[in-house]
């Protein structure tokens, strides 16, 4: 782009005398990728080479601790904590304005004030525009990113590291003379005015107008950066943003012509972030309260005792009460103790026609459908876990019955059987899950695992995740079941691990470290989940599974993904890997993201696997992008892929 660059230089030379004194307000031009305006590229240097400066950043569900924010902005978490009077570990509520101390320097040949950071692209479909506008909230500009990175605009891919020039400035001689020591880059929120911002920092509104070359009647806009001259360090108390009443409109990037083909991905990402934020906030408020107090560590009570003390009590309290402060007690109350003959009647004497699979029977209890599972021996662990768990994507245990040495567990009923039935049954050609249903189920399972690992009290490892244990309800939502092998995570903070000599599980889903060393960590669920995603994508069997090409063998599905995603033509290979029952009706970009996260989940080394919270995040983005995907635009998206 020699022409714009030349033009820039020209404008730059002309405008230097003017901009030397103060910085020009960029208004809404930061995310504009196409048109070059001088102030967009950065604040032009004056005689000061380097100075202490501040940025503001609004916390969100991705960046919600001083550590993650300081990593994003290349500051230090201790400095960020200090500047905001928060602890390093504290989760910052969304939309809190955080001040971030940085060193601002005069950089490179361009002589722009900037603070460098590095960002590694990690989502398929990210563009210079999305990085500038969404990830960095306009602290950097699309033009400056294009200017200071060598990657072609249309050729960004996951894993590339971008140089991020963050907009900052040092005080001019004039400002120093007036006693200003720092310039803070402030992100304007909806509804703010120069004078309301001046109040926050206790400065004269006129000094802000001067610093940004604004006159008193110039408009300012939300989502644009404003320089605030400060005589002292910015206030330490967290500044609450005048939070927008509703989520910002998801207008497609008007200036992002370079990314137009991927617009829907960006929009999807934003919708995803917003949805995710809401979900997380809800979960957060429900669960964080409980987590703050160490969970009352009950000695796993002998189930028999519980039964005795509650034998007479037939309660119909719902499980939701288990989230109340006296969770444990209520949880026990919430389980119904059934009479054996009621179950007999409800299942037509455990007759063949009511048999779902194995020892699981369909029951009709007072008109409600339920599933009854017959188990021998000690099932206290499954009861103890499920009675305390309340999550829409984990199958609910409503009660139990003990009769002649067997335990009968009564669960909520999932109308559509298991994922395994849908993906691998004989007639899976006639009954096929759509792309959307698959993504939704993957998202649901990730949600459940995230809850289990991070929010359940105490946290658990499922240990036996597989498509057979993922049930599908009437609305095609996924529900994780079968907690017979689940274990309490001993030490949730240090990811403490446990060893077992009793390795049980299903071939193809078991993580290598578990098979080899009996190591039990949350990462074994992540591995199994990766395999489930691969099943969702390919419809293949977990072992030896290319039913469609007739290639049978001992190859594990978890190892095929590497061949698919490596080397040349990975997208073509992915197309070949996908379940032919989908008949090509899926967005390849999103399928690629799914395959990529699955690949990371099934990494041999457990430390290379992502945490389930990260996996959940990625799936929630894919899920919301899928909402935007219109199957009828399939041909369009396929053209743009090739
Ligand atoms: C905080 O951020 C992490 C990822 O960076 C995310 O997993 C977690 O859910 C977030 N928590 C809240 C309360 O937003
Ligand atoms: C920092 O926070 C603590 C409580 O969290 C409060 O007592 C103290 O006054 C705060 N300091 C400043 C400078 O705001
Ligand atoms: C910031 O990055 C730019 C572009 O990579 C480089 O020219 C400049 O020297 C860097 N500045 C600092 C202070 O590292
Ligand atoms: C982070 O900031 C420092 C200055 O504070 C700079 O020297 C360094 O190059 C930056 N790191 C990256 C990765 O840009
Ligand atoms: C695009 O990126 C890929 C790998 O990231 C590289 O092999 C290819 O040469 C790039 N294409 C262009 C036009 O730069
Ligand atoms: C990006 O940076 C990370 C960490 O600094 C490094 O491991 C990775 O190899 C870099 N990627 C590229 C493509 O340079
Ligand atoms: C410096 O600031 C004063 C106000 O304090 C203003 O009148 C004057 O024009 C400014 N000088 C320059 C060169 O901007
Ligand atoms: C940049 O992001 C903001 C907030 O997320 C959004 O309201 C705005 O429309 C985006 N800008 C463009 C040009 O899309």
């Amino acid at each position: 782009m020699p022409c714009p660059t030349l033009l820039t230089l020209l404008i730059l030379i002309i405008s230097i005398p003017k901009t030397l004194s103060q910085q020009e307000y960029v208004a809404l031009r930061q995310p504009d990728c196409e048109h070059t305006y001088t102030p967009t590229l950065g604040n032009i240097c004056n005689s000061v080479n380097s100075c202490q400066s501040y940025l503001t950043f609004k916390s969100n569900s991705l960046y919600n601790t001083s550590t993650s924010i300081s990593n994003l902005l290349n500051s230090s978490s201790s400095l960020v904590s200090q500047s905001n009077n928060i602890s390093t570990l504290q989760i910052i509520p969304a939309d809190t304005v955080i001040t971030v101390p940085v060193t601002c320097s005069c950089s490179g040949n361009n002589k722009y004030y900037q603070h460098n950071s590095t960002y590694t692209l990690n989502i398929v479909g990210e563009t210079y525009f999305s990085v500038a506008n969404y990830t960095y909230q306009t602290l950097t500009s699309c033009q400056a990113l294009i200017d200071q990175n060598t990657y072609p605009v249309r050729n960004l891919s996951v894993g590339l590291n971008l140089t991020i020039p963050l907009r900052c400035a040092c005080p001019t001689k004039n400002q120093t003379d007036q006693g200003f020591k720092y310039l803070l880059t402030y992100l304007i929120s909806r509804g703010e005015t120069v004078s309301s911002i001046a109040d926050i920092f206790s400065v004269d509104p006129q000094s802000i107008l001067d610093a940004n070359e604004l006159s008193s009647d110039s408009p300012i806009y939300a989502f644009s950066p404003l320089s605030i001259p400060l005589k002292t360090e910015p206030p330490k108390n967290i500044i609450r943003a005048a939070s927008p009443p509703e989520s910002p409109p998801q207008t497609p990037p008007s200036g992002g012509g370079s990314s137009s083909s991927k617009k829907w991905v960006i929009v999807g990402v934003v919708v995803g972030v917003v949805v995710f934020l809401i979900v997380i906030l809800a979960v957060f408020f429900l669960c964080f309260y409980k987590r703050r107090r160490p969970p009352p560590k009950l000695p796993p009570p002998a189930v028999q005792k519980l039964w005795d003390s509650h034998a007479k009590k037939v309660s119909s309290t719902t499980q939701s009460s288990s989230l109340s402060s006296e969770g444990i007690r209520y949880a026990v109350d919430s389980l119904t103790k059934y009479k054996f003959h009621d179950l007999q009647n409800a299942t037509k004497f455990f007759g063949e026609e009511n048999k779902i699979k194995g020892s699981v029977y369909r029951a009709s209890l007072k008109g409600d459908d339920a599933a009854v599972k017959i188990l021998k021996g000690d099932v206290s662990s499954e009861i103890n876990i499920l009675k305390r768990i309340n999550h829409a994507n984990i199958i609910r245990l409503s009660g139990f019955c003990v009769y002649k040495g067997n335990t009968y567990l009564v669960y909520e009923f999932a109308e559509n059987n298991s994922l395994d039935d849908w993906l691998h049954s004989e007639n899976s050609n006639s009954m096929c899950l759509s792309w959307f249903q698959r993504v939704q189920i993957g998202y649901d399972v990730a949600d459940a695992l995230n809850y289990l690992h991070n929010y359940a009290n105490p946290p658990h490892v499922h240990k036996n995740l597989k498509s057979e244990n993922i049930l599908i309800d009437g609305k095609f939502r996924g529900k994780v079941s079968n907690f017979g092998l689940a274990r309490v995570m001993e030490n949730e903070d240090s990811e403490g691990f446990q060893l077992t000599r009793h390795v049980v599980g299903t071939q193809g889903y078991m993580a290598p470290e578990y098979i080899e060393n009996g190591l039990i960590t949350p990462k074994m669920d992540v591995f199994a989940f990766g395999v489930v995603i691969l099943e969702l994508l390919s419809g293949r069997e977990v072992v030896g599974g290319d039913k469609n090409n007739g290639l049978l063998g001992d190859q594990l599905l978890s190892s095929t993904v590497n061949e698919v995603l490596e080397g040349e033509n990975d997208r073509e290979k992915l197309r070949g890997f996908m379940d032919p029952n989908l008949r090509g009706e899926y967005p390849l970009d999103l399928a690629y993201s799914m395959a990529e996260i699955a690949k990371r989940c099934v990494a041999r080394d457990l430390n290379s696997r992502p945490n389930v919270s990260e996996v959940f995040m990625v799936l929630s983005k894919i899920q919301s992008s899928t909402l935007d995907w219109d199957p009828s635009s399939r041909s369009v998206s396929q053209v743009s892929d090739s």
Side-chain angles (χ1 to χ4, degrees):
M1 353 170 275
C3 210
T5 313
L6 255 174
L7 209 81
T8 314
L9 268 174
L10 243 152
I11 301 171
L12 201 151
I13 291 163
I14 296 166
S15 54
I16 277 179
K18 186 165 166 248
T19 33
L20 258 181
S21 54
Q22 313 275 292
Q23 294 75 35
E24 190 180 330
Y25 176 54
V26 292
L28 291 176
R29 292 173 294 201
Q30 286 284 81
D32 188 336
C33 296
E34 291 187 332
H35 308 94
T36 310
Y37 307 96
T38 331
T40 321
L41 289 171
N43 288 320
I44 291 163
C45 296
N46 55 45
S47 53
V48 184
N49 234 317
S50 168
C51 65
Q52 168 72 52
S53 177
Y54 297 88
L55 309 175
T56 61
F57 185 83
K58 267 196 211 166
S59 57
N60 55 42
S61 56
L62 298 184
Y63 302 100
N64 56 22
T65 58
S66 55
T67 311
S68 58
I69 293 174
S70 62
N71 285 345
L72 183 70
L73 301 175
N74 181 21
S75 179
S76 93
S77 60
S78 59
L79 284 179
V80 171
S81 301
Q82 265 173 36
S83 297
N84 297 279
N85 195 21
I86 53 175
S87 80
T88 331
L89 298 175
Q90 188 174 336
I91 302 274
I92 306 167
D95 274 333
T96 305
V97 179
I98 294 295
T99 55
V100 181
V102 294
T103 308
C104 185
S105 322
C106 215
S107 259
N109 314 321
N110 299 327
K111 294 283 171 206
Y112 293 119
Y113 276 129
Q114 63 190 47
H115 171 72
N116 286 352
S117 185
T118 306
Y119 177 72
T120 307
L121 296 173
N122 57 58
I123 305 163
V124 174
E126 277 183 302
T127 59
Y128 287 121
F129 167 80
S130 72
V131 170
N133 194 48
Y134 299 117
T135 311
Y136 282 91
Q137 307 177 357
T138 71
L139 283 171
T140 186
S141 75
C142 186
Q143 285 288 310
L145 287 178
I146 294 171
D147 197 48
Q148 300 194 24
N149 285 283
T150 51
Y151 311 115
V153 171
R154 286 166 199 277
N155 204 19
L156 296 185
S157 57
V158 168
L160 293 181
N161 295 325
L162 298 189
T163 298
I164 311 291
L166 296 166
R167 189 178 192 90
C168 61
C170 294
T172 59
K173 173 93 176 44
N174 205 343
Q175 284 166 331
T176 313
D177 289 348
Q178 294 175 48
F180 293 110
K181 281 196 182 139
Y182 316 106
L183 286 164
L184 173 142
T185 306
Y186 183 75
L187 297 173
I188 303 171
S189 292
R190 246 174 243 280
E192 286 188 308
T193 62
V194 169
S195 55
S196 74
I197 296 168
D199 281 349
I200 295 174
F201 296 97
S202 321
V203 295
D204 178 6
Q206 188 58 44
S207 66
I208 297 181
L209 294 176
D210 287 347
N212 296 278
E213 299 185 349
L214 289 168
S215 60
S216 54
D217 53 1
S218 332
I220 60 169
Y221 305 91
F223 309 115
S224 67
L226 192 69
S227 283
I228 316 288
L230 298 174
K231 295 186 175 167
T232 57
E233 287 173 10
K236 275 205 186 356
N237 58 320
I238 296 177
I239 312 156
R240 292 250 169 205
S243 55
E246 76 276 69
S247 53
Q250 271 89 52
T251 39
S254 59
S258 56
S259 58
S260 54
S261 68
K262 302 259 164 84
K263 249 182 212 170
W264 56 273
V265 173
I266 298 161
V267 172
V269 166
V270 180
V271 175
V273 167
V274 170
V275 168
F276 180 67
L277 214 133
I278 293 166
V279 168
I280 280 300
L281 267 180
V283 172
F284 178 76
F285 280 120
L286 284 174
C287 304
F288 191 67
Y289 260 134
K290 275 183 81 183
R291 277 175 70 88
R292 277 203 294 208
R293 279 172 289 123
K297 283 260 167 171
L298 284 194
V303 175
Q304 196 58 54
K305 269 191 216 151
L306 288 174
W307 289 338
D308 290 346
S309 61
H310 296 278
K312 286 172 217 117
K313 199 160 200 168
V314 178
S315 158
S316 60
T317 328
T318 61
Q319 281 259 301
S320 62
S321 52
S322 68
L323 277 177
S324 74
S325 56
E326 291 175 288
I328 304 305
R329 195 165 62 79
Y330 278 94
V332 174
D333 288 349
S334 73
L335 290 186
T336 306
K337 179 145 188 327
Y338 289 97
K339 294 202 178 78
F340 181 68
H341 84 258
D342 287 343
L343 293 185
Q344 262 185 330
N345 289 340
T347 58
K348 302 202 176 127
F349 292 85
F350 297 98
E352 223 20 62
E353 79 241 54
N354 273 43
K355 190 168 187 156
I356 297 172
K357 193 190 275 177
S359 60
V360 184
Y361 293 82
R362 182 174 183 157
S364 175
L365 288 158
K366 294 190 196 126
D368 286 336
D369 281 332
V372 178
K373 182 158 100 179
I374 309 173
L375 292 161
K376 280 198 181 1
D378 182 16
V379 297
S380 56
S381 84
E382 180 156 5
I383 294 182
N384 273 324
I385 292 168
L386 284 177
K387 75 184 183 196
R388 274 184 263 176
I389 277 178
N390 186 340
H391 191 276
N393 302 113
I394 293 176
I395 212 85
R396 201 162 50 83
L397 178 68
S398 63
F400 58 87
C401 165
V402 190
Y403 185 77
K404 288 195 176 164
N406 284 337
T407 304
Y408 299 80
L409 297 181
V410 181
Y411 299 94
E412 90 181 273
F413 184 70
E415 284 90 333
N416 280 311
N417 300 328
S418 73
L419 181 59
D420 176 58
D421 294 325
W422 281 89
L423 293 177
H424 308 309
S425 81
E426 305 286 284
N427 53 351
S428 63
N429 291 326
S430 55
M431 47 177 237
C432 168
L433 295 171
S434 70
W435 168 256
F436 180 76
Q437 289 165 334
R438 291 174 199 228
V439 169
Q440 185 65 55
I441 291 163
Y443 168 84
D444 290 340
V445 174
D447 196 350
L449 282 184
N450 188 34
Y451 169 82
L452 213 54
H453 289 185
N454 298 316
Y455 296 98
N457 188 0
H460 282 86
V461 185
H462 184 282
K463 279 190 65 202
N464 195 15
L465 188 73
K466 53 179 174 176
S467 54
E468 248 178 276
N469 288 337
I470 295 168
L471 304 183
I472 301 177
D473 74 3
K475 293 177 182 149
F476 283 91
R477 302 297 299 252
K479 297 194 179 232
V480 175
S481 73
N482 197 350
F483 283 70
L485 296 179
R487 281 259 200 133
V488 171
M489 258 186 245
E490 289 295 343
N491 186 344
E492 51 178 296
D493 293 327
S494 62
E495 290 218 0
F497 58 86
Q498 305 164 54
L499 292 172
T500 181
R501 274 192 221 155
H502 183 58
V503 171
V504 283
T506 307
Q507 202 201 353
Y509 292 100
M510 286 186 289
E513 73 278 0
Y514 178 65
I515 299 175
E516 287 159 20
N517 304 314
L519 187 60
I520 300 172
T521 74
K523 293 290 179 73
M524 71 184 286
D525 284 349
V526 171
F527 184 94
F529 181 61
V531 176
V532 170
I533 303 181
L534 294 173
E535 288 181 84
L536 283 168
L537 291 174
S538 70
R540 295 182 193 189
E541 300 284 349
V542 166
V543 182
D546 192 345
K547 63 177 175 196
N548 308 299
N549 290 352
L551 292 173
L552 292 169
D554 288 338
Q555 200 181 21
L556 298 181
L557 191 54
S558 56
S559 51
T560 46
V561 67
N562 290 320
E563 291 159 27
V564 174
L565 292 188
E566 255 155 35
E568 301 279 293
N569 300 329
D570 46 0
R571 279 168 188 263
E572 268 320 304
K573 283 192 283 182
L574 179 63
R575 260 197 245 275
F577 178 71
M578 295 296 287
D579 189 344
N581 289 328
L582 282 166
R583 278 177 264 107
E585 285 178 17
Y586 56 87
L588 191 63
D589 273 338
L590 295 182
Y592 195 89
S593 307
M594 286 268 269
E596 221 163 27
I597 191 73
K599 181 183 166 192
R600 291 177 58 209
C601 289
V602 298
R604 211 187 141 70
D605 172 14
L606 80 166
N607 294 314
S608 315
R609 289 176 216 149
N611 288 322
V612 77
S613 53
E614 191 186 334
V615 179
F616 175 51
M617 205 170 74
V618 171
L619 280 167
S620 65
K621 285 175 186 160
I622 294 173
Q623 191 254 7
S624 53
S625 298
T626 290
L627 291 175
D628 289 344
W629 172 72
D630 173 7
S632 62
S633 68
R634 164 175 154 239
S635 50
V636 178
S637 76
Q638 288 198 339
V639 167
S640 69
D641 287 331
S642 35

